[in-house]
Amino acid sequence: LFRSRNPYLEDDLIQNAGRRKALLDALRHRLQQMQERRDALSNQDAARSLKVQKLLDCAHEAVSAFEARLEHTRQFRRKVLHRLSQHTRKDNICFDGYARVTHVTDATDWRVEYPFVVLHPENEREIAHLVRDCIALGLTIIPRGGGTGYTGGVVPLHPLSAVINTEKLLDMRLVKTPPEREGPHVPKAVLMTGAGVVTRRAMEAAERVGLVFACDPTSADASCIGGNIAMNAGGKKAVLWGTALDNLLSWRMVTPDGNWLEVE
């Protein structure tokens, strides 16, 4: 319950051994005071004394479990950092309260669990390695872009979740220029982007060469291309030109076993 309520306090207690010890000592000191009062009561009211003892035993177990959970979290964070930092910079691996709070939900505002770690890969080459090691570490993987979805697809449901934020994957280039003539067999203009490119940036790139980017969701100013593909986003232009999948030539993705797959 503590972990799910305030990740900032959890960070403070994990990082500051002195403060953690002071809190645990204070909790056990108060329980010891209650134990002394219970011992004095046992000679007067045996039935009530037994109930108090059961309550004290449960409280001691809760404090011990709390201490063990903090220590386990500290050790597991070190293990995750050591393993994943082989594939990306350490400052791209975030356990802090702010990172976890900002990745706990999407536009639904549904909140179930905080993620254990948030990853910000620098490029797509890092992703397959991160996915493989997250699987080896027993972490549930959640890919995420702008977090504008209304289906709860990026809401962590398990405390051992790793959110892979794709917002740094910003490569974008026009790989084919607009054709001078129209027709079914004339090569079309193609825009290649990374998963983290904001939809509005892709729309602006098309406009600069006299074209229209067909996918036009309401969240265009914040949503990302990867999310458009994942959700098959549409928008008001979908009636005329179809949804995201109707306008895809190909895409590259990492499969759940950590291998690359290209779909055309």
Side-chain angles (χ1 to χ4, degrees):
L1 289 176
F2 173 85
R3 178 176 55 197
S4 65
R5 292 295 180 187
N6 196 319
Y8 298 101
L9 288 180
E10 180 187 26
D11 287 344
D12 187 44
L13 293 173
I14 288 174
Q15 297 165 10
N16 192 320
R19 193 167 299 168
R20 181 169 68 249
K21 182 178 183 302
L23 174 62
L24 292 167
D25 287 348
L27 292 173
R28 291 193 169 107
H29 175 69
R30 292 180 182 179
L31 290 176
Q32 181 58 38
Q33 289 179 318
M34 295 177 191
Q35 183 70 53
E36 292 171 359
R37 294 175 191 167
R38 178 264 169 192
D39 293 341
L41 178 68
S42 61
N43 297 326
Q44 305 170 21
D45 189 338
R48 183 198 280 180
S49 175
L50 182 60
K51 292 181 180 179
V52 172
Q53 187 60 57
K54 288 182 179 179
L55 183 60
L56 283 169
D57 290 343
C58 290
H60 277 291
E61 289 178 10
V63 172
S64 296
F66 173 60
E67 179 181 22
R69 185 167 65 246
L70 287 175
E71 178 60 22
H72 177 268
T73 300
R74 186 182 72 85
Q75 294 287 353
F76 193 49
R77 283 185 179 185
R78 291 180 61 184
K79 181 179 180 180
V80 170
L81 181 64
H82 173 73
R83 187 146 184 173
L84 299 186
S85 61
Q86 299 175 46
H87 313 304
T88 190
R89 288 172 16 186
K90 287 188 176 181
D91 57 358
N92 289 331
I93 305 169
C94 304
F95 302 99
D96 61 282
Y98 177 77
R100 295 168 63 210
V101 166
T102 54
H103 289 77
V104 74
T105 188
D106 55 10
T108 64
D109 204 32
W110 296 337
R111 300 164 190 269
V112 182
E113 292 280 358
Y114 291 105
F116 184 80
V117 62
V118 179
L119 307 175
H120 297 269
E122 297 280 346
N123 53 66
E124 70 172 28
R125 294 187 303 276
E126 298 178 353
I127 294 180
H129 301 293
L130 292 173
V131 167
R132 291 192 198 105
D133 274 355
C134 282
I135 293 171
L137 290 163
L139 296 170
T140 299
I141 301 167
I142 301 173
R144 177 191 172 106
T148 61
Y150 279 99
T151 63
V154 299
V155 176
L157 302 179
H158 192 278
L160 293 182
S161 298
V163 174
I164 300 181
N165 187 307
T166 62
E167 289 179 302
K168 287 187 177 182
L169 308 183
L170 297 174
D171 293 340
M172 182 170 64
R173 63 186 186 278
L174 198 66
V175 295
K176 291 182 181 178
T177 57
E180 296 180 358
R181 56 192 175 85
E182 295 293 333
H185 304 295
V186 176
K188 306 301 180 187
V190 177
L191 183 69
M192 179 175 288
T193 79
V197 171
V198 174
T199 308
R200 181 67 64 192
R201 302 290 85 79
M203 296 169 74
E204 291 170 349
E207 289 171 3
R208 285 195 290 271
V209 292
L211 297 173
V212 173
F213 187 78
C215 188
D216 181 23
T218 305
S219 59
D221 290 313
S223 63
C224 298
I225 298 299
N228 291 339
I229 297 171
M231 303 305 300
N232 192 23
K236 58 182 178 292
K237 298 174 184 173
V239 176
L240 182 61
W241 288 309
T243 58
L245 295 182
D246 296 317
N247 290 277
L248 267 177
L249 175 65
S250 67
W251 74 92
R252 282 166 49 81
M253 60 183 285
V254 176
T255 62
D257 55 3
N259 294 315
W260 279 104
L261 175 67
E262 184 160 354
V263 181
E264 295 183 348

